[in-house]
Amino acid sequence: MKSLKMMHQRACSVDDNTWFLANHADIGLIMATDGGSFSLGLPCVFSPKSRQYLAICAQDGRLRIWNTDIKTLHQEYVPSAHLSATCTCIAWGPCRKAKEAPQRKKRRSEAGHVEKQADLLALGTAAGSVIIYSTVKGALHCTLDGGHSGGVNCVQWHPEDCLLYSGSDDTHIVEWDLQTGKARCKWKADRASVTSLCVSPDGKLLLSAGQTIKMWDLETKEVYRKFTGHSTAVTTLRFATSRPPDSNGLYFLSGAAHDRLLSVWQVREDGKDKNSVVSFNLTDEPQHIDLFTSNSKEEAVRLAVVCKDGQLHLFEHFLNGPCKKPLSPSCTVQMSGVEDSPLPVPLLAAALTTDTHSLLLAYGNHLQPVMERVEVNTAERHVCLTRDVHTTLSLAMEMTVSKVKTPVVNAKSKVLVPGLSGHQAHVQGTLGSEKRKGTDAKEMSIAERLGEIDLSTEKGGVKGAPSLQTDNFAVLLVQGLESKDANILNKVFQTRKDIFIKKTVARLPLPAVLPLVEEITKRMQGHPYTAVLMVRWLKAVLMQHTSYLCSLPDLVFQLGVLYHMIESRVKMFHKLTKLHGKLYLLMTQVVTSDSGIKDVDHTAKLVYEEESSDEDEASGDEGLPDEDSDNWEEDEGMEVETMEDKAEEGMRTESKVNGDSDIEPGNESEEE
């Protein structure tokens, strides 16, 4: 047990959105880590009551329904917009008397006994529509459109009436009438997105949650109670008791994203029920919950919680009031492989049975899950189950029903089939020219072949030309795939020229295509620099050998690893782009502040002074040094003399003009 915990810690220390993948045979051990978790967070739900079916919607958008009794694929449905409008949530409808195709008339003794079975399945999509699928008919029942403007996060059935409730990112709840296929009522639930819904067993109350939890009266569509909720978005809501709310005996539980506590809330008659009364301690956020409700105070609630890290926790508690300390699980179940260094096998879902020691488990991966009924000793606190997933998957694949029928042929007859004999043939390194029948040409020895090859540039060779041509790359690639020699594969994969890559892939034999895709997938999980080179090879393979890949019967399982890896890489690209832009703005501001802006020199480069008046000049002269005062006085004297001379000359000119040039100034004054 300690070794398994140490192994789990090492597995969780890898960066986010990385994949644990061995080779293609280990497809049953697909485990994606997101904050130390294995599960992909995809919808996975058992059918009610009988638990006969398991509905899973993988990332490829396909709905797969597995039969838990015979452990085979029962039905598969591909929505028309499965790539653009992926499935976000799944909910089984209540068991009902399904109407099948017209059959023979039953007797009166048989007509009275009609067994109810799980039929309808609601799928919420990211495009805002809700798809209703019928398992009895094996076809689409109806599509509910026009109710939401955002992606659907949760769907919940009414236990009695033909009603369905859906919550979306547009903060609204829609009540659908399945008889008409239209929205019956729509109201705003909260300011944030509606992430979870749950209808009470009596069908009178509805729980809705984003970050806060509200209880609605379905008759009036008004809020009955409010609860504080969680700090993050609530992902799970389940009623734990079936007692009426006016008896202080109605309890429900809630789980949130990135929250390792499962909270239990009590609906009290006095309204003092804003905080949780009981908490269940988990190892990671809850992914799948199954419980047996309590009908009285003397009956305990049985709870099975599958966490995001792939572990199962079992609880059993009497809900009769508040409890201060978080409750630890009575039993924890883990699964691992049987290898020398075992890897933990993630649990996808778990279902309780009437027997307290029996459980129905689904583990492995979403493309090919393994269903098993196990006996667990709940007296032990920790239980570790070891399973050989590879053997179980091979047996399950042999038991699956195939539509391809093999004809019965006599042993003496000989069948001629065009092309290669089977897709699963091993890689044969027969790329050279085969010896034709009826020719007596001798096969050349290795020495003669080497003599024919001219690797020197003396005989008209161009210097700098590559010695290896594209056919040599194809031979080396096939040899490297056969021997799994890393040195040979590294030399081939280091080629960057697109024309070489295209010609090399085009000359590969068909049996070597699938091993090449597996090798490319394995290398793309490493360093991003290597992934850039591998993308070119993958593009060439998909362009050259698309028809061959489409002809493979098990293409989904062959390329499932590659598809999930690409989805995990692209999933965070948009968020990383936003983060890159914000960090770029912050770094530019930091660089600008650290560059050190020098103080501005406030001295003027050019000073222009206007001409001042005599008084300003006189006032300015008073401040000059004494040694220059003499010069200033001389200049002033000369200026006065020049002014007097100019005045006399002006008087003379005026007198000449008036004819008084002979009259002296003195006589002129006397005459006056």
Side-chain angles (χ1 to χ4, degrees), residues 74-355:
H74 179 62
Q75 292 179 5
E76 183 175 1
Y77 173 68
V78 183
S80 58
H82 66 285
L83 296 179
S84 60
T86 57
C87 177
T88 56
C89 53
I90 294 178
W92 283 94
C95 296
R96 66 169 190 167
K97 299 177 183 178
K99 295 181 180 180
E100 299 184 3
Q103 299 177 352
R104 65 175 180 85
K105 293 183 179 181
K106 297 182 179 180
R107 298 178 181 177
R108 293 183 179 180
S109 59
E110 297 178 356
H113 178 70
V114 179
E115 184 181 358
K116 293 184 178 181
Q117 56 181 338
D119 178 21
L120 297 182
L121 192 65
L123 289 78
T125 63
S129 60
V130 179
I131 299 173
I132 307 299
Y133 179 79
S134 175
T135 58
V136 175
K137 299 178 182 178
L140 179 67
H141 181 72
C142 64
T143 303
L144 307 178
D145 293 325
H148 295 288
S149 59
V152 178
N153 297 323
C154 50
V155 287
Q156 187 68 28
W157 291 83
H158 194 278
E160 298 176 357
D161 301 332
C162 295
L163 299 177
L164 179 71
Y165 299 92
S166 60
S168 171
D169 289 334
D170 59 2
T171 70
H172 285 78
I173 299 175
V174 177
E175 183 182 42
W176 301 92
D177 189 352
L178 294 183
Q179 294 181 353
T180 61
K182 297 181 180 180
R184 185 177 179 182
C185 183
K186 180 178 179 180
W187 70 94
K188 186 172 183 180
D190 204 345
R191 297 180 180 177
S193 302
V194 181
T195 56
S196 184
L197 292 173
C198 185
V199 182
S200 61
D202 57 359
K204 295 181 180 180
L205 300 175
L206 173 68
L207 286 173
S208 69
Q211 292 185 358
T212 60
I213 303 174
K214 293 181 180 181
M215 181 175 288
W216 303 84
D217 189 351
L218 289 180
E219 293 183 1
T220 61
K221 303 299 185 296
E222 295 180 356
V223 178
Y224 180 72
R225 294 289 168 81
K226 288 185 180 181
F227 304 90
T228 54
H230 298 258
S231 59
T232 56
V234 178
T235 57
T236 303
L237 284 175
R238 295 293 296 272
F239 276 94
T241 59
S242 58
R243 286 167 267 176
D246 54 355
S247 62
N248 292 337
L250 184 61
Y251 292 85
F252 69 91
L253 54 89
S254 63
H258 311 292
D259 194 348
R260 297 185 178 183
L261 287 178
L262 200 64
S263 301
V264 179
W265 311 80
Q266 181 183 13
V267 184
R268 300 182 58 179
E269 188 177 2
D270 54 3
K272 298 179 180 179
D273 46 15
K274 293 185 178 181
N275 298 323
S276 61
V277 293
V278 182
S279 297
F280 295 112
N281 197 5
L282 305 174
T283 56
D284 206 338
E285 67 175 89
Q287 197 77 23
H288 182 274
I289 294 179
D290 187 35
L291 58 84
F292 275 0
T293 59
S294 172
N295 298 322
S296 62
K297 294 182 179 180
E298 292 76 17
E299 185 179 359
V301 175
R302 293 175 56 200
L303 182 64
V305 183
V306 177
C307 296
K308 199 174 181 181
D309 57 359
Q311 299 186 43
L312 171 63
H313 303 287
L314 301 177
F315 298 91
E316 188 171 356
H317 181 67
F318 292 92
L319 296 176
N320 52 9
C323 184
K324 295 182 180 179
K325 295 182 179 180
L327 301 178
S328 300
S330 59
C331 181
T332 300
V333 181
Q334 291 178 290
M335 302 196 71
S336 65
V338 294
E339 299 85 0
D340 296 335
S341 56
L343 292 174
V345 179
L347 286 167
L348 304 178
L352 298 171
T353 59
T354 54
D355 186 5

Side-chain angles (χ1 to χ4, degrees), residues 7 14 43 58 79 89 108 188 198 224 232 284 287 300 316 318 345 350 363 424 506 537 541-542 544 552 593 624 672:
M7 175 185 58
V14 186
C89 53
R108 293 183 179 180
K188 186 172 183 180
C198 185
Y224 180 72
T232 56
D284 206 338
Q287 197 77 23
E316 188 171 356
F318 292 92
V345 179
Y363 56 90
Q424 301 296 336
W537 287 90
V541 171
L542 296 178
Q544 296 289 339
L552 294 176
S593 61
L624 294 176
E672 291 178 357

Side-chain angles (χ1 to χ4, degrees), residues 584-596:
Y584 178 76
L585 293 176
L586 291 175
M587 291 303 298
T588 52
Q589 294 178 0
V590 171
V591 171
T592 305
S593 61
D594 294 342
S595 59

